[in-house]
Amino acid sequence: MDYIIWYYTGGLARFVSIWKDLLIFFPRYFAVGWHIRTLFSPWKRDISRVGRPGFHPLLWAQNAALNAITRFLGAIVRSAVILAGVLIEIAAVALGFLLILEWFFWPLFLFFAVFALFYFSSLSLSIVLLLIFVLSLLWVFYFSLQLYIEKKRNYAQMDLVELASQDWFEKVWERAGKMPSQSTLEHLSAPELLERFLESCGLTSKEFEEIISFELASQIEKENRNRWWLKENLYSQMPVGKGWTYAYTVHLDKYSADLSESDPTEYKSARLVGHDQDLSMLELVLSRPSQNNALVVGEAGVGKHTLVHTLAKKIRENSASPVLYNKRILEVKLGEIISSGAEQFNASNVLREIFFEAAYAGNVILVIDDIDRFLKASPQNPQEDISAVLLEFLNYPTFQVIGITTPEKFHNEIEKNERVVKFFEKVQIGEIEKEKVPAVLFGKLKEIEGGRVIFTYPALKEVVNLSDRYLTEAPFPEKALDLLEEVFLFWSRSPKRETITPEVVDEVISQKVHVPVGEMNEDEKGKLMHLEETLHRRLIGQDLAVKQIAETMRRARVGMASDKKPIGSFLFLGPTGVGKTESAKALAEAYFRDENRMTRLDMSEYQKIDSIDRLIGSLETGKPGILENKVRENPYALLLLDEIEKAHPDILNLFLQVLDEGWLTDAFGKRINFKNQIIIATSNAGSEIIKESVEAGTEPADIQKKITDYVIKEGIFRAELLNRFEGVIFFHPLSQEDLVKVTELILERYANRLKKEKNIGITFDPEVVIRVVQEAYDPVFGARAIHRYVEDKIGDNIVKNIISGGIKEGASFVFRAQDLT
């Protein structure tokens, strides 16, 4: 009953609406208005007859004759297309009117069809009429059924319960990573039950809605693909012959790809997200009657190419600005043109030829990727500078260019070329917000998954979060898309896994950056819980310092630290040789699994104001800074700023932002990212106060306050800098007991090194330890003096014995106190 009521009401109205769309579509498809306006225009203007200087009577007569012929032929073809469009429009009017009558009065039409079978004397005519009426009625019923299904599947009016009953909704649960229980399915309208289920999946209500939106959009796109009557499907058809009045571009076509006809590139299915205003701006610039060239400027990976290819797609589907309907966007291969010319003169001639074709054609927009490369000349490749040739054509409104470049190259190469840049409007495109990246990833999933659900939404969240945290060299969305593909390739080599979960993403990142990520296994949990013991294997004494370091590292590992700051930041205060540097090495080994993952900067080398250029680079010299190089080479490492108090105050100010924001801008405008660094600064400031306070039994908190007050009062450090460190840790002088343990540790390392390098086993008599402490320890240099003593006295003794043959490879011996002479 519902179908019958709809058939005579909403169904009829929908059919009339489709009929109206078709009546508008056919004149548009056959470009009737356009062909009437250009009826006597020449057929494909021939550029070979243009541009010759002087008056040549014979050539003039030849051109006049050819022009008359092409106009005559053009008029014939256009008239045929106009006539076809008019006839089809008349047929559409008549057929539509007939089908509406048949739709409404189908019983009468059925009766007439049966009546015709007996009324007409010609049996064959009766059968033909009967078939026509029956087939048309069947088509009406079939089409009405399609429209009824379309109406019933109006997803916008469905609530969650109705949506969940659709077959395709199973993909939503798969994307969530977990199938709900039967009771949850039966009570989807109860918010508390759904909320509880989403919590078990690690999802919020907003994220669940995003999953539904994505799967719903995919389903609608799939269903609409076969609905030819939809306006967007009709209008996406390219009009007939709208390019007949423009000139041939034979040579240009040889060196370019027409993006407005098809898109064979990787950007064919790319989805532009977060750059709608940039797209509108690009359309506006290109729609101008003059000053209509654009420079799309943005970092690699932010979507510059996707922006241009999206515009080409809009032109292809007739959804762009009307001014751009007839435009052809051609991605010109300038590198191929230049390399094909053996000499600069030949390359320039080829360029002039294709640029002339583009300008004369009148409907061409050239896309030049890395345009900065072709606006500068180098001694090795002088032909790469096309500025002179480009300037010959930029004055013509029909010559349009979209240049693509990066901000750095724009400022360094293009901006200086004022003669060229004045013809361009800059369209700046930036990195999209982190919250919009999942929408880009969803678009990529169509290509990767092939109709299946492979990535769960929690896995996509992990891709976004970890690419933001660990892949700092590239912007969004490129780094997230790259990680998505890497995770998919990693998963495809493990067929046992049905879907990709956050744990798979964690595993890929851990292997990629050599940093533990995600859920901790039992071994790692044990290491973190006993991190103090691990550090104490290398660091003697300093219990409070070790405790503070371990607590901070545990917070960082479980994700409780700030994601905008470095992993950890400490200021180590204390006298020389008490273990500050050794603590840094031990921490690098414990957290990054390798003590060599430590970058050391001696800040005593940066005492002058011009030292800033050495750290962050200089525009004058064009050289990058030491700090930039070291951090970019080792993005996941410990950065040790040794003797930081000796650096120039302006250099200390640089680290205010590093410790607070986790990044720093170098001299060239590039960001240096410190979010994956542990930053440790060491200083000897206040070592005497530490020594006196420890000896007096002062409480650690009071010692820290004394030190803080001292370094601020003396102007050694500003309060702003101290407050930005997560921990200001003081190291006290080593006790006699500590010195014995330190010496034992140093001798043990020496023995291990000797065994490894020379295969000689050595055991130290206990008296050696006491002797070394007595003779080597110097309060000024601390444990460093013991290191030197072991190398100079014990090491030299053993080396002499090896040279003299007293100790042979493979031997083992005991080193006694009396051997120290």
Side-chain angles (χ1 to χ4, degrees):
M1 193 64 184
D2 180 59
Y3 171 74
I4 295 173
I5 295 173
W6 171 86
Y7 180 88
Y8 286 104
T9 56
L12 184 61
R14 179 74 178 113
F15 183 82
V16 171
S17 174
I18 293 171
W19 181 40
K20 183 182 71 173
D21 289 341
L22 284 170
L23 294 180
I24 297 172
F25 165 71
F26 285 122
R28 180 190 179 101
Y29 178 69
F30 286 95
V32 173
W34 174 261
H35 290 311
I36 290 173
R37 290 196 301 272
T38 62
L39 185 62
F40 299 106
S41 299
W43 174 266
K44 281 287 186 184
R45 291 177 290 169
D46 185 359
I47 65 167
S48 64
R49 303 189 303 275
V50 179
R52 294 187 180 94
F55 177 74
H56 302 272
L58 188 60
L59 288 176
W60 179 85
Q62 178 185 338
N63 289 346
L66 289 172
N67 188 43
I69 293 171
T70 58
R71 287 175 183 270
F72 177 70
L73 291 174
I76 292 176
V77 176
R78 290 187 181 90
S79 297
V81 173
I82 293 170
L83 181 61
V86 171
L87 292 176
I88 290 177
E89 182 75 356
I90 293 171
V93 171
L95 184 61
F97 184 73
L98 180 65
L99 289 174
I100 287 175
L101 291 176
E102 193 168 352
W103 185 294
F104 202 83
F105 300 105
W106 65 269
L108 184 63
F109 274 78
L110 184 62
F111 171 78
F112 183 75
V114 175
F115 176 77
L117 183 64
F118 299 101
Y119 179 79
F120 290 104
S121 57
S122 172
L123 180 62
S124 59
L125 180 60
S126 298
I127 292 174
V128 169
L129 287 173
L130 179 64
L131 282 174
I132 290 173
F133 281 119
V134 169
L135 288 175
S136 62
L137 279 173
L138 286 175
W139 184 87
V140 165
F141 287 132
Y142 171 77
F143 191 61
S144 69
L145 185 61
Q146 294 296 311
L147 296 182
Y148 184 70
I149 293 172
E150 179 186 71
K151 178 254 181 187
K152 294 294 285 184
R153 288 183 178 172
N154 188 354
Y155 299 120
Q157 296 180 357
M158 292 184 183
D159 59 20
L160 180 58
V161 176
E162 291 176 295
L163 287 173
S165 66
Q166 306 295 316
D167 293 338
W168 58 267
F169 201 86
E170 186 175 345
K171 288 186 175 182
V172 172
W173 303 125
E174 292 176 358
R175 190 74 68 192
K178 186 178 178 181
M179 286 297 294
S181 64
Q182 189 61 37
S183 62
T184 303
L185 287 172
E186 291 172 357
H187 300 88
L188 279 176
S189 56
E192 62 278 0
L193 281 178
L194 180 61
E195 197 73 30
R196 203 176 305 152
F197 168 73
L198 293 178
E199 284 179 7
S200 69
C201 298
L203 297 172
T204 64
S205 299
K206 184 179 179 182
E207 290 167 344
F208 185 59
E209 290 171 6
E210 193 168 355
I211 296 173
I212 296 174
S213 297
F214 169 69
E215 296 298 343
L216 178 59
S218 297
Q219 181 65 20
I220 291 173
E221 182 182 343
K222 182 180 177 181
E223 292 176 3
N224 288 351
R225 209 173 290 138
N226 298 321
R227 293 173 178 168
W228 57 266
W229 59 87
L230 295 177
K231 186 180 290 187
E232 57 265 28
N233 288 340
L234 291 173
Y235 285 16
S236 66
Q237 303 298 315
M238 190 67 70
V240 176
K242 290 195 74 173
W244 289 344
T245 58
Y246 300 103
Y248 289 110
T249 54
V250 180
H251 299 93
L252 176 58
D253 293 344
K254 179 182 175 183
Y255 293 107
S256 63
D258 193 340
L259 304 182
S260 48
E261 281 191 5
S262 62
D263 195 342
T265 70
E266 60 184 296
Y267 301 99
K268 183 176 183 179
S269 58
R271 182 182 177 190
L272 188 71
V273 175
H275 295 299
D276 294 339
Q277 289 186 345
D278 301 320
L279 182 61
S280 299
M281 183 63 186
L282 183 60
E283 282 192 63
L284 178 64
V285 172
L286 296 173
S287 301
R288 294 173 181 168
S290 60
Q291 200 72 18
N292 49 13
N293 303 292
L295 272 176
V296 179
V297 181
E299 295 289 355
V302 297
K304 303 189 299 294
H305 297 88
T306 301
L307 180 75
V308 174
H309 286 254
T310 301
L311 175 61
K313 184 180 180 182
K314 288 188 70 175
I315 293 175
R316 200 161 58 239
E317 296 176 350
N318 296 310
S319 59
S321 168
V323 180
L324 302 177
Y325 276 174
N326 300 336
K327 296 292 186 179
R328 297 171 64 209
I329 295 189
L330 302 180
E331 188 172 16
V332 62
K333 304 167 185 173
L334 274 189
E336 188 177 325
I337 296 169
I338 291 171
S339 61
S340 65
E343 298 175 357
Q344 184 176 357
F345 178 76
N346 292 339
S348 297
N349 282 346
V350 174
L351 278 176
R352 283 190 179 88
E353 189 170 31
I354 67 168
F355 284 177
F356 182 79
E357 286 184 357
Y360 188 68
N363 69 329
V364 170
I365 300 174
L366 299 177
V367 177
I368 302 177
D369 196 9
D370 295 327
I371 191 172
D372 52 275
R373 171 188 163 193
F374 306 103
L375 295 179
K376 64 174 183 179
S378 63
Q380 295 79 16
N381 297 296
Q383 70 272 19
E384 283 195 348
D385 186 2
I386 67 167
S387 301
V389 180
L390 202 58
L391 284 167
E392 295 176 21
F393 296 90
L394 284 173
N395 276 314
Y396 297 104
T398 56
F399 182 76
Q400 289 187 268
V401 175
I402 299 175
I404 301 175
T405 187
T406 64
E408 180 186 1
K409 292 175 181 177
F410 172 77
H411 293 301
N412 293 343
E413 308 297 341
I414 300 175
E415 199 170 35
K416 299 173 183 177
N417 198 333
E418 295 179 0
R419 292 188 306 158
V420 171
V421 81
K422 71 178 182 179
F423 290 100
F424 287 85
E425 183 78 28
K426 186 168 76 164
V427 178
Q428 187 85 34
I429 177 169
E431 183 179 15
I432 67 170
E433 298 171 0
K434 181 180 176 181
E435 292 72 23
K436 294 180 180 178
V437 176
V440 181
L441 298 186
F442 273 136
K444 187 69 173 178
L445 290 183
K446 295 178 184 177
E447 175 187 330
I448 290 179
E449 294 183 326
R452 295 174 54 194
V453 172
I454 296 175
F455 279 87
T456 64
Y457 189 87
L460 290 180
K461 283 200 305 181
E462 195 76 347
V463 166
V464 175
N465 292 332
L466 296 188
S467 61
D468 184 38
R469 176 75 199 188
Y470 294 103
L471 308 181
T472 57
E473 289 300 304
F476 278 135
E478 183 187 45
K479 59 186 178 184
L481 289 169
D482 289 345
L483 181 57
L484 189 81
E485 292 183 348
E486 287 181 29
V487 170
F488 176 73
L489 291 173
F490 177 81
W491 170 86
S492 63
R493 296 195 295 267
S494 307
K496 293 181 181 178
R497 293 169 171 157
E498 293 184 2
T499 57
I500 293 175
T501 60
E503 290 73 25
V504 180
V505 183
D506 295 340
E507 195 172 348
V508 172
I509 281 289
S510 292
Q511 292 183 11
K512 187 180 181 71
V513 303
H514 308 290
V515 171
V517 176
E519 290 294 324
M520 294 176 281
N521 56 35
E522 293 303 317
D523 181 53
E524 189 182 358
K525 287 179 182 178
K527 287 181 179 178
L528 278 174
M529 291 302 295
H530 301 92
L531 186 55
E532 288 91 341
E533 296 174 18
T534 304
L535 294 175
H536 272 310
R537 289 175 193 157
R538 299 188 55 167
L539 183 64
I540 304 302
Q542 314 300 349
D543 294 346
L544 182 61
V546 167
K547 182 176 181 292
Q548 288 180 273
I549 295 168
E551 288 173 351
T552 304
M553 290 302 100
R554 279 193 284 265
R555 286 198 300 273
R557 181 61 185 91
V558 299
M560 295 302 292
S562 171
D563 59 354
K564 293 183 179 180
K565 295 184 178 183
I567 297 171
S569 59
F570 307 98
L571 174 61
F572 289 175
L573 296 173
T576 299
V578 294
K580 299 191 298 295
T581 303
E582 189 64 24
S583 296
K585 290 180 180 179
L587 184 53
E589 182 181 31
Y591 193 83
F592 297 109
R593 303 170 185 172
D594 184 357
E595 76 165 55
N596 293 320
R597 298 279 288 276
M598 184 178 83
T599 302
R600 181 179 178 275
L601 285 177
D602 186 348
M603 302 308 290
S604 64
E605 298 178 7
Y606 303 94
Q607 298 185 27
K608 298 181 180 179
I609 184 62
D610 57 6
S611 301
I612 292 180
D613 291 345
R614 292 175 56 208
L615 274 181
I616 64 172
S618 169
L619 280 175
E620 294 181 3
T621 62
K623 292 182 179 179
I626 294 172
L627 182 61
E628 175 187 4
N629 287 341
K630 287 185 178 292
V631 174
R632 291 194 192 281
E633 289 168 7
N634 300 285
Y636 315 100
L638 186 148
L639 176 62
L640 178 63
L641 308 173
D642 217 359
E643 297 188 292
I644 191 171
E645 79 280 3
K646 295 181 179 178
H648 191 278
D650 287 355
I651 290 178
L652 294 181
N653 290 339
L654 290 176
F655 288 97
L656 290 175
Q657 182 175 340
V658 171
L659 298 173
D660 202 35
E661 301 291 337
W663 58 271
L664 181 69
T665 304
D666 69 4
F668 307 97
K670 288 184 178 180
R671 278 193 175 189
I672 312 171
N673 197 300
F674 294 85
K675 288 196 294 185
N676 300 307
Q677 300 268 324
I678 297 174
I679 298 179
I680 293 180
T682 69
S683 172
N684 299 331
S687 57
E688 283 300 318
I689 295 176
I690 294 175
K691 180 176 181 296
E692 292 170 2
S693 300
V694 170
E695 291 173 352
T698 308
E699 288 295 320
D702 294 332
I703 298 176
Q704 187 160 349
K705 186 178 183 306
K706 276 186 178 182
I707 292 294
T708 303
D709 292 343
Y710 170 76
V711 295
I712 292 174
K713 182 180 179 181
E714 295 297 321
I716 300 171
F717 296 120
R718 291 168 57 193
E720 295 91 325
L721 181 64
L722 293 178
N723 289 336
R724 279 169 170 78
F725 284 104
E726 290 186 52
V728 177
I729 300 171
F730 58 88
F731 286 67
H732 58 74
L734 298 174
S735 66
Q736 189 68 24
E737 184 181 347
D738 290 338
L739 289 172
V740 170
K741 291 180 180 178
V742 167
T743 304
E744 289 174 347
L745 189 60
I746 292 171
L747 292 174
E748 181 185 344
R749 287 178 187 166
Y750 182 85
N752 292 336
R753 183 156 57 94
L754 189 62
K755 183 68 176 177
K756 181 180 178 181
E757 295 177 359
K758 294 296 181 180
N759 192 25
I760 296 174
I762 183 172
T763 304
F764 291 97
D765 185 82
E767 291 295 322
V768 174
V769 177
I770 298 172
R771 179 86 175 269
V772 170
V773 172
Q774 289 174 347
E775 295 187 4
Y777 178 64
D778 184 339
V780 176
F781 297 104
R784 283 198 177 94
I786 296 176
H787 274 283
R788 283 196 294 269
Y789 184 90
V790 170
E791 290 295 330
D792 294 344
K793 295 289 185 178
I794 297 176
D796 186 59
N797 183 300
I798 293 172
V799 167
K800 287 178 179 177
N801 275 284
I802 292 173
I803 294 172
S804 66
I807 301 176
K808 299 187 180 297
E809 189 171 339
S812 295
F813 70 100
V814 177
F815 192 94
R816 304 184 185 281
Q818 52 264 35
D819 296 327
L820 284 168
T821 55

